[in-house]
Amino acid sequence: MRILKYHVTAKDVAKLAGVSQSSVSRVYFEGASVSNKTREKVLAAAKELGYRPNEFARSLITNRTKIIGLVMKGIHNPFYPEVLKQFTTAFNKLGYSILFVSTNNDEIQKEDIDMLRNYNVAGVIITDASLSLNVTEDFKENQVPLVLFNRKIDNDQFYSVCCNNLDASEKIAKYLIEKGCSKVAYIAGNANTSTSRDREKGFTSIIEKNNVTLNKYTSDYTYEGGYKTAKKIIAEKEVPEGIFVANDIMALGVVDALRENSIMIPAETKIVGFDNIEMASWPTYNLTTWEQPITKMVEQTVNYLMTEMVEFSGYTESVEVNGALIVRKTT
């Protein structure tokens, strides 16, 4: 004989609690007026019956869900899966779920935006995908708060949270100079991103002020890109005394390429990465790097979204959080 599992409804909770069904709805509807006595009775009955409110049904009424949309491109970069993990943990504790949207394009596409809108997301986080203003106006018009994470744009249209890349790269340049480097190289990632531009700007400004020889290379924020760029540097027969690489995963590729060619690190050349991903601390690499303050950046983002989701103000700001140099054995 097939046994059907009984589905507990708001009506069942109301009957056990001795209140109206509308009272049950008000308890689970944010901002609705309900007495403490009624709330306690409803929650006690719901716990006894194992009742869970229908989030989808509620979203049809409020035109909002307890879902945060997170758009990410660089899942190959270990930095971003860690970001996703921290956001998921933080929002789960607050009763929210993450709708993860993986995009293969450098710029977020209309279909990505449509997916977020179709799910009536309460808020949006965009990480390493570039933002086109014409496809995100709907969010502002519908008062859905949006945060650019680890990115910023050259206007005040959206709230952004990122590491203070300019300050970080300046300090990395000073550190390499203090270590005695008179000839250095900088390996950039995607030149179209604010992170890459700021890291190059800060590093270059200090190097030039100190009359240190600088060669620049452009790569793509991948291990393979770092490896190939290092091979190119080796082929030029003039390996610099210090190399600043715009992220850790590229830096690991650089380290492996140099070692394959019997170039001693740090005796012959010093390597500094950026992010402080877990692999950077592995004994195989022991990479000196700049630690991005992911936890603080996530907290800043979550606090902003939670505030704006309660009462949308449209407030925007470019928040930059300071990181720290982590010195290991590549310098």
Side-chain angles (χ1 to χ4, degrees), residues 313-330:
S313 70
Y315 171 74
T316 63
E317 182 184 357
S318 179
V319 177
E320 294 184 303
V321 186
N322 291 326
L325 182 67
I326 307 298
V327 177
R328 296 193 180 100
K329 293 184 179 180
T330 58

Side-chain angles (χ1 to χ4, degrees), residues 72-326:
M72 184 178 291
K73 175 178 177 287
I75 56 174
H76 60 274
N77 181 351
F79 173 78
Y80 284 107
E82 176 61 25
V83 167
L84 175 60
K85 177 183 174 182
Q86 290 207 25
F87 271 126
T88 301
T89 300
F91 279 114
N92 282 349
K93 288 179 180 178
L94 296 168
Y96 284 77
S97 300
I98 293 289
L99 172 64
F100 177 63
V101 179
S102 177
T103 179
N104 294 319
N105 303 287
D106 288 332
E107 184 176 284
I108 187 170
Q109 301 296 298
K110 185 178 183 299
E111 53 264 32
D112 301 323
I113 301 298
D114 288 343
M115 178 181 289
L116 297 172
R117 292 177 60 212
N118 291 341
Y119 277 88
N120 288 330
V121 294
V124 176
I125 302 164
I126 298 177
T127 59
D128 56 339
S130 300
L131 185 66
S132 174
L133 295 180
N134 65 324
V135 298
T136 55
E137 284 305 309
D138 281 343
F139 290 128
K140 301 195 85 170
E141 290 175 6
N142 291 286
Q143 299 191 344
V144 178
L146 183 149
V147 178
L148 301 180
F149 185 88
N150 201 34
R151 289 288 183 275
K152 61 181 181 180
I153 53 179
D154 297 328
N155 58 51
D156 58 356
Q157 293 290 313
F158 297 100
Y159 191 90
S160 65
V161 178
C162 64
C163 175
N164 191 335
N165 292 289
L166 198 64
D167 174 73
S169 55
E170 288 176 352
K171 287 178 177 175
I172 290 170
K174 291 175 182 177
Y175 173 73
L176 287 175
I177 292 170
E178 288 170 2
K179 297 294 287 186
C181 298
S182 59
K183 181 179 180 181
V184 299
Y186 172 68
I187 301 178
N190 187 340
N192 295 324
T193 64
S194 62
T195 51
S196 187
R197 289 194 299 270
D198 282 354
R199 289 170 197 175
E200 181 172 351
K201 181 180 179 182
F203 187 74
T204 301
S205 66
I206 298 301
I207 293 300
E208 290 180 346
K209 284 178 184 177
N210 287 271
N211 297 316
V212 174
T213 302
L214 171 64
N215 290 325
K216 297 181 184 180
Y217 303 86
T218 300
S219 190
D220 58 1
Y221 282 133
T222 67
Y223 173 91
E224 293 78 13
Y227 183 89
K228 290 176 182 178
T229 304
K231 286 287 192 179
K232 180 180 179 181
I233 292 172
I234 294 166
E236 293 172 354
K237 305 294 185 182
E238 292 186 27
V239 176
E241 296 162 339
I243 304 174
F244 171 35
V245 191
N247 78 346
D248 282 349
I249 198 67
M250 281 199 301
L252 301 186
V254 170
V255 169
D256 284 343
L258 293 173
R259 285 175 174 169
E260 282 182 10
N261 285 267
S262 302
I263 296 171
M264 302 297 292
I265 305 170
E268 295 180 67
T269 186
K270 296 169 176 55
I271 313 295
V272 180
F274 204 105
D275 285 340
N276 195 30
I277 61 175
E278 184 180 354
M279 292 169 66
S281 66
W282 288 2
T284 306
Y285 293 107
N286 263 319
L287 178 71
T288 293
T289 184
W290 190 269
E291 181 177 51
Q292 289 222 59
I294 298 178
T295 301
K296 290 182 180 178
M297 290 162 64
V298 167
E299 287 176 356
Q300 189 77 35
T301 302
V302 172
N303 290 340
Y304 170 79
L305 284 177
M306 293 304 296
T307 300
E308 287 292 293
M309 288 186 298
V310 171
E311 185 175 356
F312 185 83
S313 70
Y315 171 74
T316 63
E317 182 184 357
S318 179
V319 177
E320 294 184 303
V321 186
N322 291 326
L325 182 67
I326 307 298

Side-chain angles (χ1 to χ4, degrees), residues 9-21 24 45 49:
T9 66
K11 185 176 180 180
D12 300 319
V13 175
K15 183 178 180 180
L16 181 60
V19 300
S20 67
Q21 191 171 337
V24 175
L49 294 172

